[in-house]
Amino acid sequence: GAGVSQSPSNKVTEKGKDVELRCDPISGHTALYWYRQSLGQGLEFLIYFQGNSAPDKSGLPSDRFSAERTGGSVSTLTIQRTQQEDSAVYLCASSRLTSLRGNEQFFGPGTRLTVL
Amino acid sequence: GENVEQHPSTLSVQEGDSAVIKCTYSDSASNYFPWYKQELGKRPQLIIDIRSNVGEKKDQRIAVTLNKTAKHFSLHITETQPEDSAVYFCAASPRRALTFGSGTRLQVQP
């Protein structure tokens, strides 16, 4: 079956512009996560969705970052007034809902964002 | 919040040798510990995971051990092959989101 997909694969933007990154999770996965990976670094958690609600937004670095999920499926991460330090690969992951707190997360290919 | 430390940052071994990567975590509520492999320019792929009610898990050449008392878990790769070369990340989950270690770049020399 289809895995997690993300678009665009690459995005180059100018400082101060807004960008939207899209994630299509695996069908039937109710949990969706956004992470950020800077060059040569580990993955940094941004936000978690369960269905359309976001019970954990603790990783969003500033109020310039927001995300939404509609229909329990596609999610969009929006970065307003982009800064050079926002340059990174933005990864989306999805997982099934289970009774356990932790369960396997499947990652998308990421969107490489470059802010000039 | 959770904090995960991972060591070493780089590891070079000869083909056929074993490789061990170690992680520690801080939040005793963490109960799920996955390991991901990331090849250059690719997405992270889960290679093995362990839950807190288990002390060890093996899958062919890969094994993970967990010491809940010490808040310590390790990845063991035996009979390494050149295709094992990649960056490996450990993670811990006290809630749903994962907290990742900083990664270990493993290079297997043929």
Side-chain angles (χ1 to χ4, degrees):
Chain A
V4 178
S5 61
Q6 292 185 245
S7 62
S9 55
N10 279 285
K11 176 71 176 178
V12 180
T13 190
E14 293 180 347
K15 178 181 172 181
K17 296 285 179 78
D18 297 352
V19 295
E20 282 190 355
L21 312 180
R22 177 189 167 105
C23 172
D24 264 288
I26 293 172
S27 177
H29 281 193
T30 57
L32 185 148
Y33 313 78
W34 283 97
Y35 295 89
R36 178 169 73 172
Q37 186 173 31
S38 300
L39 186 63
Q41 301 297 310
L43 287 79
E44 172 191 6
F45 166 72
L46 298 177
I47 187 170
Y48 153 61
F49 285 93
Q50 184 57 53
N52 291 337
S53 64
D56 190 348
K57 306 179 184 179
S58 62
L60 293 178
S62 76
D63 58 8
R64 296 186 296 105
F65 288 72
S66 63
E68 64 176 14
R69 189 179 185 195
T70 55
S73 182
V74 171
S75 176
T76 303
L77 177 69
T78 301
I79 309 173
Q80 296 178 306
R81 306 181 301 282
T82 52
Q83 303 294 312
Q84 290 182 330
E85 60 262 29
D86 299 334
S87 296
V89 175
Y90 289 81
L91 289 157
C92 173
S94 70
S95 68
R96 296 180 192 281
L97 173 65
T98 70
S99 59
L100 300 172
R101 272 183 285 182
N103 47 281
E104 181 177 359
Q105 296 183 20
F106 295 84
F107 281 85
T111 293
R112 180 175 299 278
L113 175 66
T114 302
V115 182
L116 300 177
Chain B
E2 176 64 280
N3 182 51
V4 177
E5 302 273 348
Q6 183 171 347
H7 301 280
S9 56
T10 60
L11 179 59
S12 182
V13 299
Q14 290 296 123
E15 183 177 358
D17 287 349
S18 294
V20 180
I21 303 170
K22 299 182 178 182
C23 290
T24 59
Y25 62 99
S26 61
D27 192 336
S28 57
S30 285
N31 68 348
Y32 176 63
F33 306 91
W35 287 86
Y36 283 84
K37 175 183 180 181
Q38 188 176 32
E39 297 177 5
L40 190 63
K42 301 288 183 62
R43 72 188 77 188
Q45 299 270 15
L46 180 75
I47 56 171
I48 195 167
D49 57 12
I50 191 167
R51 300 190 186 277
S52 57
N53 58 345
V54 175
E56 183 175 359
K57 183 176 178 181
K58 292 182 78 170
D59 183 3
Q60 299 183 352
R61 298 186 297 109
I62 295 173
V64 58
T65 59
L66 171 65
N67 183 328
K68 285 179 59 181
T69 303
K71 297 196 185 75
H72 171 276
F73 58 114
S74 300
L75 176 71
H76 304 251
I77 306 174
T78 58
E79 301 171 27
T80 53
Q81 301 166 3
E83 52 265 37
D84 294 330
S85 296
V87 179
Y88 291 80
F89 292 97
C90 64
S93 178
R95 46 191 195 284
R96 289 221 177 257
L98 295 173
T99 299
F100 284 84
S102 54
T104 296
R105 182 174 299 280
L106 173 65
Q107 186 156 9
V108 180
Q109 308 284 354

